[in-house]
Amino acid sequence: KQLSVLNLLISPTEQISGKGLERLTPISSADYHDWPEITEIFPWINSGCQLKRTWPLGPSRSVVRRRWDHLVLAPRSQRGLLMRETPDRNTFSVVRSIRSGKDLKPISSLRRDADPDGIERYGYRSFDREWVIADNRLSDRPRPPLWDVRGTRQVFLTILTSTKVGDGPAVTATAYVPDLHHFRGSYGAKDVMPLFRDRHGKNPNLTVGLLEVLGAQLAREVLAEDLVAYIYGLTSTSAYTERFADELGEAAGPVRIPITTDADQIGRAHV
Protein backbone atom coordinates (compact mmCIF):
# COMPACT_ATOMS: atom_id res chain seq x y z
CA LYS A 1 0.00 0.00 0.00
CA GLN A 2 2.84 2.36 0.74
CA LEU A 3 4.24 1.80 -2.75
CA SER A 4 0.89 2.50 -4.36
CA VAL A 5 0.59 5.79 -2.48
CA LEU A 6 4.08 6.81 -3.56
CA ASN A 7 3.22 6.01 -7.15
CA LEU A 8 0.33 8.46 -6.93
CA LEU A 9 2.60 11.19 -5.63
CA ILE A 10 5.67 10.70 -7.83
CA SER A 11 5.66 9.74 -11.48
CA PRO A 12 8.05 6.87 -12.26
CA THR A 13 9.66 9.08 -14.92
CA GLU A 14 10.15 12.08 -12.67
CA GLN A 15 13.77 12.86 -11.84
CA ILE A 16 15.09 14.83 -8.89
CA SER A 17 18.16 16.82 -9.90
CA GLY A 18 19.84 16.86 -6.49
CA LYS A 19 20.94 20.44 -7.10
CA GLY A 20 19.96 23.45 -5.05
CA LEU A 21 19.11 21.37 -2.01
CA GLU A 22 19.97 22.31 1.56
CA ARG A 23 22.73 20.37 3.31
CA LEU A 24 21.60 17.80 5.86
CA THR A 25 24.47 18.79 8.15
CA PRO A 26 24.45 22.25 9.74
CA ILE A 27 27.08 24.81 8.80
CA SER A 28 28.19 27.93 10.62
CA SER A 29 27.64 31.52 9.56
CA ALA A 30 31.36 32.09 8.98
CA ASP A 31 32.40 34.32 6.07
CA TYR A 32 34.18 31.28 4.61
CA HIS A 33 30.89 29.89 3.29
CA ASP A 34 30.23 33.06 1.28
CA TRP A 35 33.44 32.77 -0.73
CA PRO A 36 33.45 31.08 -4.16
CA GLU A 37 34.37 27.42 -4.37
CA ILE A 38 37.57 26.78 -6.28
CA THR A 39 35.57 24.79 -8.86
CA GLU A 40 33.58 27.95 -9.61
CA ILE A 41 36.82 29.70 -10.50
CA PHE A 42 38.26 26.84 -12.59
CA PRO A 43 35.10 25.32 -14.14
CA TRP A 44 36.66 22.69 -16.44
CA ILE A 45 37.39 19.73 -14.18
CA ASN A 46 38.66 16.27 -15.09
CA SER A 47 39.65 13.03 -13.44
CA GLY A 48 43.34 12.16 -13.53
CA CYS A 49 44.97 9.45 -15.66
CA GLN A 50 44.42 5.87 -14.47
CA LEU A 51 46.92 3.26 -15.66
CA LYS A 52 45.60 0.27 -13.66
CA ARG A 53 49.18 -1.09 -13.64
CA THR A 54 52.32 0.35 -12.05
CA TRP A 55 55.14 -1.14 -14.12
CA PRO A 56 54.90 1.57 -16.85
CA LEU A 57 56.03 4.04 -14.15
CA GLY A 58 59.61 4.50 -13.06
CA PRO A 59 62.22 6.92 -11.70
CA SER A 60 63.97 7.41 -15.05
CA ARG A 61 63.40 7.17 -18.77
CA SER A 62 65.86 4.29 -19.07
CA VAL A 63 64.06 2.21 -16.42
CA VAL A 64 60.67 2.36 -18.10
CA ARG A 65 62.25 1.82 -21.50
CA ARG A 66 63.83 -1.43 -20.26
CA ARG A 67 60.45 -2.56 -18.98
CA TRP A 68 58.86 -1.89 -22.36
CA ASP A 69 61.62 -3.78 -24.13
CA HIS A 70 61.11 -6.70 -21.76
CA LEU A 71 57.44 -6.78 -22.82
CA VAL A 72 57.93 -6.73 -26.60
CA LEU A 73 60.93 -9.10 -26.49
CA ALA A 74 58.78 -11.73 -24.77
CA PRO A 75 56.97 -14.39 -26.80
CA ARG A 76 53.51 -13.23 -27.85
CA SER A 77 51.92 -15.91 -25.67
CA GLN A 78 53.50 -14.37 -22.56
CA ARG A 79 52.83 -10.69 -23.27
CA GLY A 80 49.37 -10.72 -21.72
CA LEU A 81 50.73 -11.90 -18.37
CA LEU A 82 53.59 -9.39 -18.45
CA MET A 83 51.27 -6.59 -19.45
CA ARG A 84 48.81 -7.37 -16.62
CA GLU A 85 45.70 -7.36 -18.77
CA THR A 86 42.40 -5.91 -17.58
CA PRO A 87 38.90 -5.96 -19.11
CA ASP A 88 39.68 -2.58 -20.72
CA ARG A 89 43.19 -3.26 -21.96
CA ASN A 90 44.70 -6.47 -23.28
CA THR A 91 47.30 -7.39 -25.88
CA PHE A 92 44.65 -7.35 -28.63
CA SER A 93 43.25 -3.90 -27.81
CA VAL A 94 43.26 -1.45 -30.73
CA VAL A 95 43.29 2.11 -29.39
CA ARG A 96 44.31 5.58 -30.51
CA SER A 97 47.47 7.38 -29.50
CA ILE A 98 47.08 9.98 -26.74
CA ARG A 99 49.87 11.89 -28.45
CA SER A 100 48.99 11.85 -32.16
CA GLY A 101 45.45 10.48 -32.30
CA LYS A 102 46.50 7.75 -34.73
CA ASP A 103 45.51 4.10 -34.32
CA LEU A 104 48.10 1.96 -32.54
CA LYS A 105 48.84 -1.64 -33.38
CA PRO A 106 47.86 -4.11 -30.66
CA ILE A 107 50.68 -5.26 -28.42
CA SER A 108 50.19 -8.85 -29.58
CA SER A 109 51.31 -7.89 -33.10
CA LEU A 110 54.30 -5.68 -32.25
CA ARG A 111 57.76 -6.55 -33.50
CA ARG A 112 60.50 -7.22 -30.98
CA ASP A 113 62.15 -3.89 -31.81
CA ALA A 114 58.96 -1.80 -31.57
CA ASP A 115 59.09 1.54 -29.75
CA PRO A 116 56.47 2.71 -27.25
CA ASP A 117 54.21 5.54 -28.33
CA GLY A 118 56.11 7.85 -26.01
CA ILE A 119 57.88 8.28 -22.67
CA GLU A 120 57.12 11.42 -20.67
CA ARG A 121 57.23 12.93 -17.19
CA TYR A 122 54.17 12.17 -15.08
CA GLY A 123 52.57 13.64 -11.97
CA TYR A 124 52.21 10.41 -10.01
CA ARG A 125 51.63 11.92 -6.56
CA SER A 126 51.70 15.43 -5.13
CA PHE A 127 55.37 15.08 -4.19
CA ASP A 128 56.36 12.24 -6.54
CA ARG A 129 57.18 12.93 -10.19
CA GLU A 130 57.86 9.84 -12.27
CA TRP A 131 58.49 8.85 -15.86
CA VAL A 132 55.68 7.00 -17.64
CA ILE A 133 55.29 5.02 -20.84
CA ALA A 134 52.75 7.39 -22.38
CA ASP A 135 51.07 4.71 -24.43
CA ASN A 136 47.29 4.29 -24.51
CA ARG A 137 47.69 0.51 -24.83
CA LEU A 138 48.97 0.45 -21.25
CA SER A 139 46.44 2.82 -19.64
CA ASP A 140 42.83 1.89 -18.91
CA ARG A 141 41.70 5.51 -18.41
CA PRO A 142 44.31 7.76 -20.04
CA ARG A 143 42.12 10.92 -20.03
CA PRO A 144 43.07 12.18 -23.52
CA PRO A 145 41.83 15.75 -22.81
CA LEU A 146 44.60 16.15 -20.21
CA TRP A 147 47.28 14.95 -22.63
CA ASP A 148 45.87 17.26 -25.30
CA VAL A 149 46.39 20.37 -23.15
CA ARG A 150 49.80 19.61 -21.65
CA GLY A 151 52.36 22.27 -22.51
CA THR A 152 55.15 24.45 -21.20
CA ARG A 153 52.73 26.98 -19.64
CA GLN A 154 50.27 24.46 -18.28
CA VAL A 155 49.64 23.89 -14.58
CA PHE A 156 47.35 21.15 -13.29
CA LEU A 157 45.77 21.76 -9.88
CA THR A 158 44.53 18.71 -7.99
CA ILE A 159 42.02 18.94 -5.18
CA LEU A 160 39.84 16.98 -2.80
CA THR A 161 36.07 17.36 -3.28
CA SER A 162 34.39 14.08 -2.31
CA THR A 163 35.57 13.92 1.31
CA LYS A 164 36.58 16.44 3.94
CA VAL A 165 39.99 18.05 3.74
CA GLY A 166 42.31 17.16 6.61
CA ASP A 167 45.73 18.44 7.63
CA GLY A 168 48.25 19.51 5.03
CA PRO A 169 47.75 21.22 1.67
CA ALA A 170 44.23 21.80 0.36
CA VAL A 171 45.47 22.09 -3.23
CA THR A 172 48.52 20.63 -4.94
CA ALA A 173 49.90 21.24 -8.43
CA THR A 174 51.99 19.66 -11.15
CA ALA A 175 53.30 20.68 -14.56
CA TYR A 176 52.75 17.13 -15.85
CA VAL A 177 49.63 15.10 -16.61
CA PRO A 178 48.52 13.92 -13.15
CA ASP A 179 47.51 10.49 -11.98
CA LEU A 180 43.98 9.78 -10.75
CA HIS A 181 45.33 9.62 -7.20
CA HIS A 182 47.78 12.50 -7.54
CA PHE A 183 46.43 14.51 -4.59
CA ARG A 184 46.71 11.97 -1.79
CA GLY A 185 47.34 8.53 -3.28
CA SER A 186 43.83 7.09 -2.98
CA TYR A 187 40.24 7.57 -4.04
CA GLY A 188 38.43 10.67 -2.90
CA ALA A 189 40.86 13.08 -4.53
CA LYS A 190 40.66 12.68 -8.24
CA ASP A 191 39.70 16.16 -9.45
CA VAL A 192 42.09 17.91 -11.82
CA MET A 193 41.75 21.54 -12.92
CA PRO A 194 44.06 22.65 -15.75
CA LEU A 195 44.96 26.34 -15.76
CA PHE A 196 44.51 26.45 -19.53
CA ARG A 197 42.15 24.70 -21.92
CA ASP A 198 44.82 24.45 -24.61
CA ARG A 199 48.47 23.41 -24.80
CA HIS A 200 49.66 26.88 -25.85
CA GLY A 201 48.38 28.65 -22.74
CA LYS A 202 46.08 31.06 -24.59
CA ASN A 203 42.64 29.97 -23.33
CA PRO A 204 42.44 30.16 -19.52
CA ASN A 205 40.23 27.68 -17.69
CA LEU A 206 38.55 30.46 -15.75
CA THR A 207 34.97 31.60 -15.36
CA VAL A 208 34.19 34.00 -18.21
CA GLY A 209 34.77 37.62 -17.25
CA LEU A 210 36.52 36.84 -13.95
CA LEU A 211 39.89 38.34 -14.89
CA GLU A 212 38.23 41.51 -16.20
CA VAL A 213 36.21 41.97 -13.00
CA LEU A 214 39.28 41.41 -10.84
CA GLY A 215 41.30 43.80 -12.99
CA ALA A 216 38.70 46.53 -12.57
CA GLN A 217 38.50 45.92 -8.81
CA LEU A 218 42.26 45.95 -8.31
CA ALA A 219 42.99 48.68 -10.88
CA ARG A 220 45.62 46.52 -12.56
CA GLU A 221 45.80 43.81 -15.18
CA VAL A 222 45.31 40.34 -13.72
CA LEU A 223 46.62 37.38 -15.70
CA ALA A 224 45.61 33.75 -15.34
CA GLU A 225 49.09 33.07 -13.95
CA ASP A 226 48.59 35.79 -11.31
CA LEU A 227 45.35 34.25 -10.10
CA VAL A 228 46.59 30.66 -9.95
CA ALA A 229 49.72 31.81 -8.08
CA TYR A 230 47.55 33.65 -5.55
CA ILE A 231 45.24 30.65 -5.04
CA TYR A 232 48.12 28.19 -4.82
CA GLY A 233 49.94 30.45 -2.38
CA LEU A 234 46.87 30.42 -0.14
CA THR A 235 46.01 26.74 -0.26
CA SER A 236 49.20 24.77 -0.84
CA THR A 237 50.43 24.65 2.77
CA SER A 238 48.94 23.54 6.06
CA ALA A 239 48.42 27.20 7.05
CA TYR A 240 45.15 27.28 5.09
CA THR A 241 43.73 24.05 6.53
CA GLU A 242 44.77 25.07 10.05
CA ARG A 243 43.18 28.53 9.72
CA PHE A 244 39.88 27.14 8.40
CA ALA A 245 39.88 23.78 10.16
CA ASP A 246 36.43 24.31 11.69
CA GLU A 247 34.83 25.38 8.41
CA LEU A 248 36.49 22.58 6.43
CA GLY A 249 35.31 20.07 9.01
CA GLU A 250 31.66 21.00 8.59
CA ALA A 251 31.15 19.45 5.16
CA ALA A 252 32.91 17.84 2.23
CA GLY A 253 33.25 19.81 -0.96
CA PRO A 254 35.67 22.03 -2.89
CA VAL A 255 37.62 24.49 -0.80
CA ARG A 256 36.53 28.12 -0.90
CA ILE A 257 38.80 30.96 -1.93
CA PRO A 258 38.83 34.47 -0.41
CA ILE A 259 39.38 36.90 -3.29
CA THR A 260 41.57 39.79 -2.19
CA THR A 261 40.89 43.46 -2.92
CA ASP A 262 44.56 44.26 -2.32
CA ALA A 263 46.52 44.37 -5.58
CA ASP A 264 49.79 43.91 -3.70
CA GLN A 265 48.62 40.51 -2.44
CA ILE A 266 48.25 39.27 -6.03
CA GLY A 267 51.71 40.57 -6.91
CA ARG A 268 53.44 39.01 -3.89
CA ALA A 269 51.92 35.60 -4.59
CA HIS A 270 53.37 35.57 -8.10
CA VAL A 271 56.93 36.43 -7.07
Side-chain angles (χ1 to χ4, degrees), residues 4-19:
S4 63
V5 172
L6 288 175
N7 287 336
L8 292 174
L9 298 175
I10 302 176
S11 167
T13 60
E14 185 177 353
Q15 295 183 359
I16 300 175
S17 67
K19 296 181 179 179

Side-chain angles (χ1 to χ4, degrees), residues 133-152:
I133 302 175
D135 193 310
N136 196 4
R137 292 167 291 196
L138 303 179
S139 178
D140 283 33
R141 302 285 188 275
R143 316 298 181 192
L146 295 181
W147 292 95
D148 288 343
V149 301
R150 72 195 190 283
T152 56

Side-chain angles (χ1 to χ4, degrees), residues 151-251:
T152 56
R153 297 185 63 192
Q154 187 63 272
V155 176
F156 298 97
L157 300 180
T158 59
I159 61 174
L160 179 69
T161 61
S162 56
T163 59
K164 296 178 182 179
V165 176
D167 297 334
V171 175
T172 61
T174 177
Y176 310 117
V177 171
D179 188 80
L180 178 70
H181 307 309
H182 178 268
F183 184 88
R184 71 172 189 181
S186 63
Y187 276 104
K190 58 184 178 60
D191 297 297
V192 178
M193 299 177 298
L195 176 58
F196 295 103
R197 293 173 179 258
D198 66 302
R199 66 178 58 199
H200 304 294
K202 296 181 178 181
N203 183 15
N205 175 29
L206 296 170
T207 296
V208 176
L210 176 58
L211 292 180
E212 290 75 15
V213 171
L214 285 176
Q217 180 70 35
L218 300 175
R220 55 156 288 182
E221 182 183 18
V222 179
L223 303 177
E225 291 90 338
D226 298 326
L227 185 57
V228 76
Y230 168 73
I231 291 174
Y232 187 69
L234 284 175
T235 60
S236 62
T237 73
S238 60
Y240 177 91
T241 51
E242 290 172 2
R243 171 63 178 80
F244 301 110
D246 292 340
E247 292 83 354
L248 292 170
E250 290 175 348

